[in-house]
């Protein structure tokens, strides 16, 4: 069938999608043979897909499915776990009315603004929110028939969690997944992949670490020479942005409304900003949702050791979960308000403080941190600590007060980084970590005495600053990856991003049609 590429109806007539993006944004079946294979595979394995509306508001999930989920382990490759790919999981298989989160106290953040962090380690199978990005990228390709589970291998280029999420989603959908990630990522990521992938050849280790995204792209370009490899590049798949706009954005709004309902009559809370590390820029799509609904400012974060947006810089760092040295195609740069640089010295050091007895004792004694705060710190992986530090620094830079709410996400927990903790202990602390060492890190990187070298690295963007960062993406996408210049430039106009907003409802129609067709075979 022909691909429907018009945004008419999906976005109030914003125009047509650029030709280079039409396939990934299709709202009709493109390959009827591929879709027939999807129906056959889903029928044989009892697979039903959740809609984006259900993931944004899990109360919409069929009660029979919710009841069946009670008997399913969240970490198993069970098709029902697709209905747990949302922010409302309680961490033990159940569902909450409000996404699990924490409002950090000022003594820890050093800002009077309320820093609110949602927990990503409650997501199923991988303990990280990137499983949502993986589902968001594959589902539209499946319902349009472009991805054929019989013929294709799903290739997931990543710096770690997205590749794991893609492998989990692939396995549940009855197809083969390939993880492409840097060889220097944490040991826990590779141990997880060893458990979930049958063929070791489906884990491809590329040179370097977080900052070596081009090497990932090069590996994918080689894999793409084989037409059976289907590359689902999180850095350029707009459904990554759309999924976070729709699902993560809704979760953040749910938490904010909950906070507002609990606030006293004298406190009119203001949703002032959303903060997320750039990475693939998918999560930043949630910021677009909060800006649309509350005019919140959008704060993008990067590692100070590789300050691409701030200084057109380069380098290596250990804030795992952030890919650097480029501007993702799906980053809505012209809608971004603030850039913050955070050093991996801070995230490595605070990872030790948050996850050692001596570190938590120091937090209690030096900052007066309460037990309930200390109990939540294991939910913060490296990029989560990075997001939180950036949220506090942005709040101070913007002059926010106690009625202002700054929201961010803990993309994963520290479960993925215990090996990194041991490495950091050995390299920088001689294998031991005492109260004096913990106090030194706290004084350097946390309030109220924080004097970290990376604290001043903030830029409130003007139009010139946005243009500078947007233009930097040209070298990756047009010169290296072959994106047409007119397609690249289309992203400069907010009308392009507005045209994406109605797609989840159209994709949900296609998901429901597919589910009905699969279910009809059981009658």
């Amino acid at each position: 069938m022909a691909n429907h590429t018009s945004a008419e109806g999906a976005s109030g007539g914003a125009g047509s999608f650029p030709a280079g993006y039409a396939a990934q944004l299709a709202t009709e079946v493109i390959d009827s043979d591929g879709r027939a294979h999807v129906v056959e595979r889903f029928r044989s394995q009892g697979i039903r897909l959740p809609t984006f509306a259900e993931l944004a508001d899990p109360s919409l999930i069929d009660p029979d499915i919710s009841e069946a989920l009670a008997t399913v382990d969240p970490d198993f490759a069970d098709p029902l776990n697709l209905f747990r790919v949302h922010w409302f999981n309680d961490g033990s298989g159940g569902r909450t009315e409000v996404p699990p989160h924490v409002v950090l106290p000022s003594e820890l953040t050093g800002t009077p603004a309320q820093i609110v962090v949602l927990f990503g380690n409650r997501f199923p199978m991988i303990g990280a929110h990137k499983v949502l990005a993986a589902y968001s990228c594959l589902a539209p390709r499946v319902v349009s028939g472009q991805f054929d589970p019989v013929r294709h291998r799903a290739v997931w280029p990543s710096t770690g969690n997205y590749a794991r999420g893609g492998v989990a989603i692939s396995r549940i959908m009855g197809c083969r997944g390939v993880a492409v990630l840097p060889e220097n990522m944490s040991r826990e990521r590779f141990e997880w992949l060893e458990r979930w992938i049958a063929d070791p050849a489906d884990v491809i280790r590329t040179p370097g670490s977080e900052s070596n995204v081009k090497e990932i792209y090069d590996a994918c370009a080689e894999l793409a020479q084989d037409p059976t490899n289907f590359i689902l590049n999180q850095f350029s798949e707009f459904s990554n942005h759309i999924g976070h706009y729709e699902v993560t954005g809704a979760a953040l709004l749910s938490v904010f409304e909950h906070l507002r309902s609990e606030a006293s009559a004298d406190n009119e809370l203001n949703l002032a900003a959303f903060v997320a590390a750039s990475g693939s820029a998918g999560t930043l799509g949630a910021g677009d949702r909060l800006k649309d609904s509350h005019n919140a400012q959008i704060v993008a974060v990067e590692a100070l050791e590789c300050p691409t947006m701030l200084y057109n810089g380069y380098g290596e760092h250990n804030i795992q979960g952030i890919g650097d040295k480029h501007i993702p195609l799906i980053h809505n740069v012209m809608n971004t308000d603030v850039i913050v640089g955070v050093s991996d010295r801070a995230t490595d050091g605070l990872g030790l403080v948050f996850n050692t007895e001596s570190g938590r004792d120091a937090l209690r004694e030096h900052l007066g941190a309460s037990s309930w705060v200390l109990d939540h710190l294991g939910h913060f992986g490296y990029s989560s600590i990075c997001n939180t530090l950036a949220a506090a620094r942005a709040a101070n830079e913007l002059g926010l007060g106690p009625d202002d709410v700054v929201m961010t996400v803990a993309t994963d927990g520290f479960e993925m980084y215990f090996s990194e903790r041991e490495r950091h202990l050995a390299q920088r602390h001689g294998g031991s970590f005492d109260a004096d060492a913990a106090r030194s890190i706290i004084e350097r990187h946390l309030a109220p005495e924080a004097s970290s070298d990376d604290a001043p690295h903030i830029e409130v963007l003007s139009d010139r600053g946005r243009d500078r960062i947007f233009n930097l993406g040209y070298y990756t996408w047009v010169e290296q990856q072959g994106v047409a210049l007119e397609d690249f430039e289309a992203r400069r106009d907010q009308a392009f991003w507005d045209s994406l907003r109605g797609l989840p409802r159209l994709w949900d129609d296609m998901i429901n049609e597919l589910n009905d067709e699969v279910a009809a075979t059981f009658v």
Side-chain angles (χ1 to χ4, degrees):
M1 296 184 182
N3 175 27
H4 176 71
T5 61
S6 174
E8 198 88 30
S11 59
S16 297
F17 296 129
Y21 310 141
Q24 62 168 286
L25 301 175
T27 57
E28 289 186 355
V29 174
I30 288 180
D31 187 330
S32 56
D33 289 339
R35 189 178 180 282
H37 290 157
V38 170
V39 172
E40 181 182 356
R41 180 63 55 86
F42 283 18
R43 177 191 315 160
S44 67
Q45 301 201 12
I47 298 168
R48 178 182 177 86
L49 299 183
T51 63
F52 286 93
E54 289 170 326
L55 298 181
D57 180 4
S59 69
L60 300 176
I61 295 173
D62 188 306
D64 290 340
I65 293 176
S66 296
E67 183 178 352
L69 272 172
T71 65
V72 175
D73 189 317
D75 294 327
F76 281 10
D78 188 298
L80 282 175
N81 271 329
L82 292 175
F83 287 86
R84 285 187 169 123
V85 181
H86 56 69
W87 289 92
F88 292 77
N89 298 293
D90 65 5
S92 59
R95 197 166 71 208
T96 60
E97 291 187 5
V98 179
H101 64 280
V102 63
V103 182
L104 295 174
S106 293
E107 60 264 25
L108 194 66
T109 63
T111 176
Q114 299 186 40
I115 306 299
V116 180
V117 188
L118 275 64
F119 297 143
N121 65 348
R122 309 299 177 87
F123 276 84
M125 298 169 288
I126 73 167
H129 84 318
K130 285 288 190 175
V131 70
L132 168 62
Y135 179 79
S136 298
C137 290
L138 186 56
R141 301 289 200 160
V142 165
V143 295
S144 65
Q146 294 176 79
F147 181 84
D148 182 342
V150 174
R151 186 168 65 93
H152 289 134
R153 294 195 309 168
V155 179
W156 304 94
S158 168
T159 55
N161 284 335
Y162 175 77
R164 294 194 304 120
V167 165
I169 296 296
S170 301
R171 183 166 165 184
I172 283 178
M173 289 195 187
C175 58
R176 188 175 172 186
V178 179
V180 183
L181 70 167
E183 60 188 352
N184 291 327
M185 302 308 295
S186 70
R187 185 181 70 212
E188 288 83 355
R189 283 168 163 80
F190 289 104
E191 289 174 346
W192 185 96
L193 288 167
E194 289 170 3
R195 295 192 300 270
W196 277 73
I197 285 184
D199 187 345
D202 288 343
V203 179
I204 298 174
R205 294 168 170 83
T206 56
S209 58
E210 286 298 319
S211 298
N212 297 95
V213 175
K214 183 180 183 298
E215 288 78 359
I216 299 171
Y217 291 169
D218 291 345
C220 288
E222 185 175 344
L223 288 168
Q225 299 303 308
D226 181 346
T228 66
N229 289 326
F230 197 106
I231 313 298
L232 291 150
N233 188 342
Q234 63 170 332
F235 301 93
S236 59
E237 288 278 321
F238 288 96
S239 50
N240 182 5
H241 166 94
I242 294 165
H244 281 295
Y245 182 97
E246 193 74 9
V247 178
T248 302
L252 290 159
L253 290 173
S254 175
V255 171
F256 178 69
E257 291 306 319
H258 170 73
L259 296 174
R260 193 150 66 171
S261 70
E262 290 195 330
S264 67
D266 296 330
N267 296 94
E268 183 61 34
L269 296 185
N270 170 48
L271 208 175
F274 174 73
V275 180
S278 176
S280 70
T283 310
L284 283 167
D288 289 55
R289 175 76 175 270
L290 302 192
K291 177 171 279 192
D292 286 347
S293 60
H294 289 275
N295 200 31
Q297 297 202 56
I298 299 172
V299 181
V301 190
E302 64 182 356
L304 186 60
E305 285 75 16
C306 189
T308 307
M309 293 182 288
L310 280 169
Y311 305 121
N312 291 5
Y314 53 88
E316 296 288 333
H317 68 90
N318 194 46
I319 308 178
Q320 299 192 21
I322 309 175
D324 296 302
K325 294 182 188 169
H326 81 309
I327 307 300
L329 192 70
I330 65 169
H331 183 180
N332 185 3
V333 173
M334 304 306 291
N335 207 32
T336 302
D337 301 291
V338 182
I339 305 298
V340 180
V342 173
S343 171
D344 68 2
R345 295 188 303 277
T347 55
D348 283 347
L350 290 173
L352 283 177
V353 171
F354 289 0
N355 295 278
T356 58
E357 185 176 348
S358 56
R360 295 188 183 202
D361 286 345
L363 285 171
R364 185 182 294 108
E365 295 168 7
H366 200 58
L367 294 183
S370 61
S371 296
W372 73 267
V373 171
L374 299 177
D375 289 344
H376 285 94
L377 296 181
H379 298 306
F380 291 70
Y382 285 141
S383 61
S384 309
I385 296 171
C386 173
N387 284 348
T388 304
L389 289 174
R393 292 170 187 172
N396 285 334
E397 178 73 15
L398 297 171
L400 301 182
D403 292 337
D404 292 312
V405 173
V406 179
M407 307 196 80
T408 188
V409 297
T411 55
D412 59 13
F414 208 73
E415 302 89 351
M416 283 289 112
Y417 305 101
F418 288 120
S419 63
E420 293 296 307
R421 181 186 66 180
E422 299 310 309
R423 183 176 66 83
H424 184 66
L425 265 173
Q427 290 181 350
R428 298 192 187 180
H429 297 276
S432 64
F433 189 68
D434 58 19
D436 288 340
R439 229 178 354 257
S440 175
I441 291 171
I442 291 168
E443 291 172 354
R444 185 173 182 81
H445 300 297
L446 283 183
E449 299 91 354
S451 59
S452 174
D453 293 340
D454 55 335
H457 294 272
I458 298 175
E459 180 180 356
V460 178
L461 294 175
S462 63
D463 288 342
R464 177 178 294 180
R466 294 184 184 94
D467 278 332
R468 170 179 57 80
I469 297 170
F470 184 96
N471 293 342
L472 188 60
Y474 168 88
Y475 302 100
T476 295
W477 298 108
V478 178
E479 289 196 346
Q480 294 178 13
Q481 304 302 319
V483 172
L485 180 59
E486 58 269 28
D487 293 347
F488 176 82
E489 281 291 326
R491 302 156 41 259
R492 198 184 295 270
D493 190 336
Q494 290 307 301
F496 167 77
W497 302 93
D498 291 342
S499 73
L500 306 178
R501 304 299 178 230
L503 285 173
R505 277 150 292 288
L506 299 178
W507 286 339
D508 282 355
D509 289 342
M510 298 174 74
I511 289 172
N512 286 326
E513 289 172 6
L514 178 68
N515 287 338
D516 288 345
E517 189 172 343
V518 170
T521 64
F522 294 104
V523 178

